[in-house]
Amino acid sequence: MLKRKNLDDGINLSQRPANSGEQKNNVLFKAAPQEDKSTLEQVMSGYSKLLIEDPIRPFHEAALQTIVDNVDYGVLKVLEGTWVSYNNTNDDQSKVNFIGSGIHTTIMPSPGTNSGGIPGKYSFECEQYIEKLIFNLVPGGVRNRGGGNEQFCGAVKYEQSIKSVNAVSGQESLKYTPIHEETGMYLWLSDVFNYAATEKTIAEDRGIHAISPDNPNKDLYKSGYQDETLFLILNDQGLKEYVTLEDLNGRPYLEIIAAKELKPGAGQTGPYFIPDYSISRSGVIPHGSTITLLGDLVQNSSGFLMTGAPQFPHGDAAWKYDHLSLSRTMGGAGASETNPINLDQPAPAWVFENLDDQNDPGENKIYTQRILAHDLYPYSVRPDLRLRDSIKGENIKNHVLIQMSSKNKTGAQGGILNVPFVNRFVPSVEMNMRMWVETVVEDEKEILQLQYEQIIFFEFAFGDDGGTTSWPHIQVNTLRKIEDVSDEQKRLIEEQFPAANSILPTTPAPGCPYKKE
């Protein structure tokens, strides 16, 4: 988890410049006037990793309204607004067929198949798309109460609508088809507090029983309540005797009588909650799946705010299965990461041949031939190359990279739940996401740009050897806020996603409820 840097004022910390020259976690924060910083620089200058030895603020009910009024959204704050598809109009031959800013690849079971039938049959679609994506900050934040630990999260509601774009044969017009709707929330998992017990909470939240007059140890409970842990020891006379922790003095003990009641201040010494992720995303997808992703900002030598543009691979280096629309379990197109296909070159000759036992003895190529032969190659094979090519010629000053997954290698886990039909025939088992928030300099003006890649893995059918097959479903897109696109692109979005008929909101999201004193 990332914490706001200056804990001395406790609230609204991200708005203040960092202490000059302070070194923390190999990230150097230097004070600078906010007006000299880009939007991302303003937001990210006040954050570092939360560690166990870092100060944790106490929670007091009297401060609740102040905390709520100063909720922290982290880098998610810059997402607020309406984002729409953006096509870079720089003169570049790789962009001449960009009729939609996004690319999706979708693999589904072939008609007539089932999980116990003939393996290897699937349908493949790859299309360009346009998108409208609205983010609304939820005012007031979200208070998560955990006894001795409290966490206040900045919630950002999102609603997404996508239409595929296809050329119509023999016509100049394009066909726009709705293909995806999604709603959900991002949470900035920040602002951890310690909430120790007080006389008020002890009395109100359960009530307390006075110690029984028949209790043989009643004199040890000075408050009149069973709020001490007692330890049975052998005293200097060799007799068994109960003492409190205060009188134990490191002596060995034979048994314990646990405290039944809290004392004021209980919980002050922990355990303390140190979240291992800074961001979560919860989404509802109409096909019948709900997702929870957990992730964080990626850090490099310059910190969480990275200088320059995102780096995407070229040539042989682009053949990485984590980002391909085909998996190793699909045969891998007869290639490997040590013997790759260069996606910046024309597709191999075998892609356009009739395959048989002689030129495809392992049946690896036939699995993936149509993917490499697609009109949108190489994006049909590695969609995020579209992101790479979309920013050619742009002057990107800096960027932040968010990386999230439903299935993390270590630590807390997200997950996916599917409705029965999806779970039986095309279960979604894992989702990974990368999202870049970029500062672009155009005409001496700084504007924000959003790029994302999300990969969902389906599992259906099996290979000749009975092994489970993993089928990637990938979406990538480049977006800008609607006020930062050309009039032509703005008109297209307003035409295809009319506000009157859209499910997307035009008013801010309502605030989350919390207890007011």
Side-chain angles (χ1 to χ4, degrees):
M1 169 193 150
L2 300 187
K3 67 179 178 69
R4 292 193 269 194
K5 187 167 179 56
N6 296 308
L7 295 178
D8 52 337
D9 61 357
I11 301 298
N12 211 18
L13 303 166
S14 62
Q15 303 304 311
R16 297 180 58 183
N19 294 328
S20 176
E22 181 174 345
Q23 184 93 23
K24 187 70 172 177
N25 301 332
N26 299 319
V27 182
L28 186 63
F29 295 89
K30 295 182 178 180
Q34 294 289 7
E35 59 270 17
D36 294 335
K37 298 184 178 182
S38 70
T39 301
L40 284 180
E41 286 174 319
Q42 289 182 39
V43 170
M44 294 310 301
S45 64
Y47 291 92
S48 62
K49 276 283 188 182
L50 177 66
L51 304 176
I52 188 65
E53 67 267 26
D54 288 329
I56 296 177
R57 286 168 285 175
F59 176 80
H60 304 292
E61 286 288 345
L64 177 58
Q65 189 60 51
T66 305
I67 295 170
V68 167
D69 291 341
N70 291 272
V71 61
D72 185 21
Y73 299 95
V75 73
L76 301 181
K77 184 176 182 179
V78 304
L79 297 180
E80 184 177 23
T82 299
W83 297 79
V84 298
S85 287
Y86 170 71
N87 273 336
N88 188 338
T89 56
N90 289 329
D91 186 19
D92 191 295
Q93 286 300 307
S94 67
K95 304 189 183 82
V96 293
N97 294 319
F98 279 22
I99 59 176
S101 60
I103 291 280
H104 84 87
T105 65
T106 303
I107 295 176
M108 285 286 117
S110 182
T113 63
N114 59 65
S115 58
I118 298 173
K121 303 295 183 183
Y122 65 95
S123 68
F124 175 76
E125 293 183 3
C126 181
E127 296 175 302
Q128 300 186 67
Y129 67 83
I130 60 173
E131 175 178 355
K132 185 176 183 181
L133 177 60
I134 294 182
F135 291 94
N136 280 312
L137 303 185
V138 177
V142 179
R143 179 186 180 187
N144 287 333
R145 304 180 65 172
N149 291 281
E150 296 254 346
Q151 184 179 37
F152 286 79
C153 305
V156 182
K157 181 180 179 180
Y158 73 90
E159 299 199 38
Q160 179 186 48
S161 187
I162 291 176
K163 287 187 175 183
S164 64
V165 186
N166 290 288
V168 180
S169 178
Q171 300 182 27
E172 293 184 2
S173 62
L174 299 173
K175 182 180 180 180
Y176 297 90
T177 306
I179 58 172
H180 185 79
E181 301 286 340
E182 185 175 332
T183 63
M185 279 194 181
Y186 284 84
L187 291 181
W188 183 256
L189 307 174
S190 67
D191 283 358
V192 174
F193 291 81
N194 170 247
Y195 196 176
T198 66
E199 291 184 3
K200 179 175 178 287
T201 64
I202 293 170
E204 288 184 353
D205 290 351
R206 177 182 175 270
I208 47 179
H209 272 179
I211 191 67
S212 169
D214 298 326
N215 189 311
N217 301 305
K218 61 181 183 298
D219 293 338
L220 295 176
Y221 300 109
K222 304 249 187 322
S223 65
Y225 304 104
Q226 195 173 322
D227 56 5
E228 297 275 7
T229 299
L230 303 184
F231 302 86
L232 183 64
I233 63 166
L234 291 176
N235 61 23
D236 294 341
Q237 289 75 39
L239 300 176
K240 292 181 179 180
E241 177 187 2
Y242 279 102
V243 296
T244 64
L245 178 62
E246 183 181 1
D247 295 325
L248 182 60
N249 295 325
R251 290 177 287 183
Y253 51 89
L254 305 175
E255 62 185 28
I256 297 170
I257 298 178
K260 187 177 180 179
E261 305 290 356
L262 293 170
K263 298 178 72 172
Q268 289 173 332
T269 58
Y272 305 115
F273 177 58
I274 308 294
D276 51 351
Y277 297 108
S278 298
I279 304 174
S280 76
R281 171 186 166 191
S282 299
V284 180
I285 301 167
H287 297 290
S289 299
T290 58
I291 60 167
T292 296
L293 310 181
L294 294 173
D296 221 326
L297 275 65
V298 176
Q299 183 179 8
N300 67 9
S301 58
S302 61
F304 299 105
L305 181 65
M306 303 183 189
T307 303
Q311 297 300 302
F312 294 97
H314 293 77
D316 290 350
W319 193 262
K320 298 294 183 184
Y321 284 105
D322 286 348
H323 304 282
L324 301 185
S325 62
L326 53 97
S327 69
R328 292 183 179 87
T329 60
M330 296 167 62
S336 67
E337 292 183 358
T338 56
N339 181 33
I341 293 173
N342 187 330
L343 294 175
D344 286 318
Q345 298 295 325
W350 61 261
V351 170
F352 308 101
E353 298 174 356
N354 291 324
L355 300 178
D356 55 32
D357 290 346
Q358 299 302 309
N359 56 9
D360 185 24
E363 298 185 19
N364 283 339
K365 297 176 180 178
I366 193 67
Y367 257 55
T368 49
Q369 184 182 39
R370 83 193 86 162
I371 298 177
L372 279 77
H374 198 279
D375 290 343
L376 290 174
Y377 177 88
Y379 310 133
S380 60
V381 180
R382 178 157 178 166
D384 72 332
L385 295 185
R386 178 62 164 269
L387 302 179
R388 178 194 71 182
D389 294 342
S390 293
I391 60 176
K392 282 183 178 178
E394 292 186 347
N395 179 11
I396 297 180
K397 180 179 180 181
N398 53 45
H399 70 279
V400 170
L401 171 57
I402 298 170
Q403 199 159 283
M404 310 182 75
S405 180
S406 67
K407 188 182 290 185
N408 293 297
K409 292 182 179 179
T410 61
Q413 299 295 312
I416 300 177
L417 289 176
N418 303 300
V419 296
F421 181 92
V422 173
N423 203 51
R424 179 166 183 174
F425 296 110
V426 197
S428 303
V429 298
E430 181 179 346
M431 180 174 176
N432 301 311
M433 179 184 181
R434 293 188 296 169
M435 182 163 67
W436 297 264
V437 185
E438 303 156 358
T439 303
V440 182
V441 181
E442 280 187 4
D443 300 324
E444 300 183 351
K445 175 186 175 184
E446 292 186 0
I447 59 176
L448 291 176
Q449 184 166 272
L450 179 65
Q451 294 191 294
Y452 68 80
E453 172 201 40
Q454 58 183 35
I455 304 174
I456 301 175
F457 290 97
F458 303 143
E459 289 183 355
F460 59 87
F462 53 84
D464 286 350
D465 60 358
T468 300
T469 305
S470 180
W471 314 90
H473 164 47
I474 304 178
Q475 291 173 270
V476 303
N477 205 1
T478 299
L479 306 158
R480 287 188 179 182
K481 291 189 177 181
I482 193 165
E483 58 268 24
D484 294 324
V485 300
S486 67
D487 290 342
E488 179 184 2
Q489 294 183 39
K490 189 181 301 183
R491 280 194 298 269
L492 172 63
I493 294 298
E494 291 173 346
E495 173 188 302
Q496 294 300 323
F497 304 100
N501 299 323
S502 174
I503 66 165
L504 301 174
T506 56
T507 56
C512 286
Y514 60 89
K515 180 182 178 183
K516 288 186 177 180
E517 293 299 319

